[in-house]
Amino acid sequence: MLKYQDVAKKIQQAIYQQNLPKGTQLPNIEGLIQQYQVSRTTIIKALNRLERHGVIYQIQGSGIFVRQPKKQGYLNFLESHGFSVDLNDLPGSSQVFNVDVMQPNVKVKEYLQCEDDEYVYYIKRLRLVEGKVYGFEQSYYRKKIVSYLNKEIAENSIFSYVKDICKVNIGFSDKYFKAIKLDEDIAPYLGLNAGDPALCVEEIFYTSSGEPFDFSQIIYHYDNAKFFVQSHSK
Amino acid sequence: MLKYQDVAKKIQQAIYQQNLPKGTQLPNIEGLIQQYQVSRTTIIKALNRLERHGVIYQIQGSGIFVRQPKKQGYLNFLESHGFSVDLNDLPGSSQVFNVDVMQPNVKVKEYLQCEDDEYVYYIKRLRLVEGKVYGFEQSYYRKKIVSYLNKEIAENSIFSYVKDICKVNIGFSDKYFKAIKLDEDIAPYLGLNAGDPALCVEEIFYTSSGEPFDFSQIIYHYDNAKFFVQSHSK
């Protein structure tokens, strides 16, 4: 973690631990430099990060203020790498059905820009939060980039493993989504009926050098999974 | 528009007009400084903006590259102020049902942090793209911030009007969404049946000084409205 990220985390923790209401003014930049004993540049980068993440807003010439905290139980749609629960740290878990090595089908091959002779890991799992079913996920990892995966890894965070163990620099993602009608194959996984609504999110993840390495499709339970996005105009 | 925004726009136009494929390397920073005759700082800010917007990616020590262009017909979920179609510039329009002044109900009052005696504009309209129904929108503007609205304005972009005419600095937004089952009141607006799926997006918009001024709920047609988000890890 870079120093400005660490400072950003500390400021954020201070806000949430003290339960500061929306609109509370934080110390100014000089005050924060004193408090965290870091350079001006580090504080400015930390504040910009917190602004991007929807934790604070800055009014030029006026100060730094706390933003509305996220509603409880909503998933952060942007920070989740495929899936993860924000700040409030609800306990998430995964029920893994299979971890297979296979040749990609045409769609996956195209999305992941695979060569003809490439193999992918295919993982099918149910994502749960506090024991409730949130989504049914099917994901495909290129074996040439993520050379090993197993059930145990898939039961925890594949992304932490990919970053920390496989040393893949995760760069960016393209995410596509829409509401759908559940078909009779997927509905039972979510405990729902065919024809019920769901949110279908497809995402392609790229390394920082622009190579796609993961394609995931998650079908979210319409009643259990709610999302938020905090945006700012800059 | 600030200079770096203008340069970002020009670089983006150049990419799309030349239809540069994903992975195409752009000139380096020196080259771009020459080409656009602006300072290094301006180029760096322009590139960071384009990276945030998913147009390019930068590899340290290696260069600047074109990202996968967005799929045709998908709405940019982040840049839309409530609703607007990206780059490809599909023709959007609105069918306005009413523009009324009223006292807000409890939910709207809370979201917009209204005083007891405040009034809001309530606007009900259908959003269309190329004549197809995309969504049914109900939005509420605080009269003390947006003091005048009418049908003609609502048929075009309320946000342009709010920015350019009312001189409101739009700051940030909180967006909440989930898949829902349509009820029998809303379904007919979308030409669908009760029980059909939809994406329900609720968004609160704030001025740059942190005052909420607009609450909007859009119920999107599950088959017509598709969305994308391009994210990056920074």
Side-chain angles (χ1 to χ4, degrees):
Chain A
M1 195 181 283
L2 297 170
K3 192 181 265 181
Y4 81 92
Q5 293 171 332
D6 184 50
V7 172
K9 201 175 158 190
K10 283 181 182 151
I11 296 174
Q12 178 167 333
Q13 280 170 346
I15 292 171
Y16 288 104
Q17 276 162 11
Q18 294 172 76
N19 218 349
L20 298 180
K22 179 192 168 299
T24 306
Q25 185 161 10
L26 296 183
N28 64 14
I29 290 179
E30 304 306 329
L32 293 170
I33 290 171
Q34 280 296 316
Q35 190 173 340
Y36 293 96
Q37 294 288 310
V38 292
S39 70
R40 170 175 297 271
T41 314
T42 301
I43 288 293
I44 290 173
K45 285 175 87 172
L47 292 174
N48 287 341
R49 182 182 170 86
L50 290 171
E51 186 160 34
R52 274 202 311 278
H53 289 199
V55 179
I56 60 159
Y57 58 97
Q58 305 182 70
I59 307 181
Q60 205 129 32
S62 177
I64 305 154
F65 300 87
V66 174
R67 268 185 75 165
Q68 183 83 38
K70 291 120 191 178
K71 287 198 221 167
Q72 277 252 317
Y74 283 72
L75 301 173
N76 186 331
F77 194 63
L78 299 187
E79 293 191 23
S80 68
H81 268 138
F83 186 88
S84 85
V85 180
D86 203 57
L87 299 168
N88 306 313
D89 272 351
L90 299 173
S93 62
S94 294
Q95 183 184 340
V96 179
F97 297 108
N98 60 268
V99 178
D100 295 327
V101 173
M102 58 182 264
Q103 286 197 293
N105 64 27
V106 177
K107 177 179 171 181
V108 172
K109 190 179 165 194
E110 191 196 320
Y111 281 170
L112 292 179
Q113 297 164 33
C114 293
E115 303 291 331
D116 281 339
D117 55 357
E118 262 194 71
Y119 284 81
V120 294
Y121 272 103
Y122 167 49
I123 291 136
K124 204 160 86 178
R125 53 183 184 167
L126 214 52
R127 314 304 303 263
L128 304 109
V129 177
E130 291 185 307
K132 275 206 288 193
V133 176
Y134 264 53
F136 173 71
E137 183 192 71
Q138 296 179 83
S139 54
Y140 304 84
Y141 289 85
R142 288 174 81 179
K143 206 165 174 321
K144 73 173 253 197
I145 298 175
V146 181
S147 57
Y148 181 73
L149 276 177
N150 66 19
K151 197 159 177 257
E152 193 190 340
I153 297 164
E155 278 165 353
N156 296 286
S157 167
I158 298 182
F159 264 73
S160 302
Y161 166 80
V162 164
K163 269 192 291 192
D164 301 337
I165 310 295
C166 305
K167 305 289 181 203
V168 172
N169 289 314
I170 296 169
F172 49 85
S173 77
D174 295 334
K175 204 168 192 156
Y176 297 92
F177 61 103
K178 62 186 292 244
I180 60 163
K181 261 187 201 176
L182 283 173
D183 65 32
E184 57 192 13
D185 292 333
I186 306 287
Y189 285 108
L190 299 173
L192 293 171
N193 299 316
D196 276 343
L199 185 73
C200 175
V201 181
E202 296 193 333
E203 190 161 8
I204 304 163
F205 293 93
Y206 298 82
T207 66
S208 58
S209 61
E211 252 195 318
F213 70 94
D214 169 30
F215 168 67
S216 292
Q217 183 203 61
I218 307 187
I219 314 253
Y220 286 102
H221 189 294
Y222 77 105
D223 228 14
N224 295 347
K226 300 174 288 187
F227 301 87
F228 71 86
V229 168
Q230 294 194 292
S231 65
H232 64 112
S233 63
K234 272 170 225 165
Chain B
M1 192 181 287
L2 298 170
K3 192 181 266 182
Y4 81 93
Q5 294 171 331
D6 184 50
V7 172
K9 200 175 158 191
K10 283 181 182 152
I11 296 175
Q12 178 168 333
Q13 280 171 345
I15 291 171
Y16 289 104
Q17 276 163 11
Q18 294 172 74
N19 217 350
L20 299 181
K22 178 192 169 296
T24 305
Q25 185 161 9
L26 296 183
N28 63 14
I29 290 179
E30 304 307 328
L32 294 168
I33 291 171
Q34 280 297 317
Q35 191 173 340
Y36 293 97
Q37 293 288 311
V38 292
S39 71
R40 170 174 296 272
T41 313
T42 301
I43 287 293
I44 289 172
K45 283 174 88 172
L47 291 174
N48 287 342
R49 183 181 169 87
L50 290 171
E51 186 160 33
R52 275 201 311 279
H53 290 198
V55 178
I56 59 158
Y57 57 98
Q58 304 182 69
I59 307 180
Q60 205 128 32
S62 178
I64 305 153
F65 300 87
V66 174
R67 267 185 77 167
Q68 184 82 39
K70 290 121 190 176
K71 287 197 219 167
Q72 277 251 317
Y74 283 72
L75 301 174
N76 187 332
F77 193 64
L78 300 187
E79 292 190 24
S80 67
H81 269 137
F83 187 88
S84 85
V85 179
D86 203 58
L87 298 166
N88 306 311
D89 272 352
L90 298 173
S93 62
S94 294
Q95 183 185 338
V96 179
F97 298 108
N98 60 269
V99 178
D100 295 328
V101 173
M102 58 182 264
Q103 286 198 291
N105 64 28
V106 178
K107 178 179 169 180
V108 172
K109 190 179 167 197
E110 192 197 319
Y111 281 170
L112 293 179
Q113 297 164 35
C114 292
E115 303 291 332
D116 280 340
D117 56 356
E118 261 195 72
Y119 283 82
V120 294
Y121 272 104
Y122 167 50
I123 291 136
K124 204 160 86 176
R125 53 184 183 166
L126 214 51
R127 313 305 303 263
L128 305 108
V129 178
E130 291 185 308
K132 275 205 289 194
V133 177
Y134 264 54
F136 172 72
E137 183 192 71
Q138 296 179 85
S139 54
Y140 305 84
Y141 289 84
R142 287 174 80 178
K143 206 166 173 322
K144 73 172 252 200
I145 298 175
V146 181
S147 58
Y148 181 73
L149 276 177
N150 66 17
K151 196 158 177 259
E152 192 190 341
I153 296 165
E155 278 165 355
N156 296 286
S157 167
I158 298 182
F159 264 74
S160 302
Y161 166 80
V162 165
K163 269 192 295 193
D164 301 337
I165 310 296
C166 306
K167 305 288 181 204
V168 172
N169 287 315
I170 296 170
F172 48 86
S173 77
D174 295 332
K175 203 168 195 158
Y176 297 92
F177 61 102
K178 62 186 293 245
I180 59 163
K181 261 186 201 175
L182 284 173
D183 65 31
E184 58 194 10
D185 292 333
I186 306 289
Y189 286 107
L190 300 174
L192 292 171
N193 299 314
D196 276 343
L199 186 72
C200 174
V201 181
E202 296 193 335
E203 191 161 8
I204 304 162
F205 294 92
Y206 298 82
T207 66
S208 58
S209 61
E211 251 195 320
F213 70 94
D214 169 29
F215 168 68
S216 292
Q217 183 202 61
I218 308 187
I219 314 254
Y220 286 101
H221 190 294
Y222 77 105
D223 227 14
N224 294 348
K226 300 174 289 185
F227 300 87
F228 70 86
V229 168
Q230 294 195 293
S231 65
H232 65 112
S233 63
K234 270 170 227 166

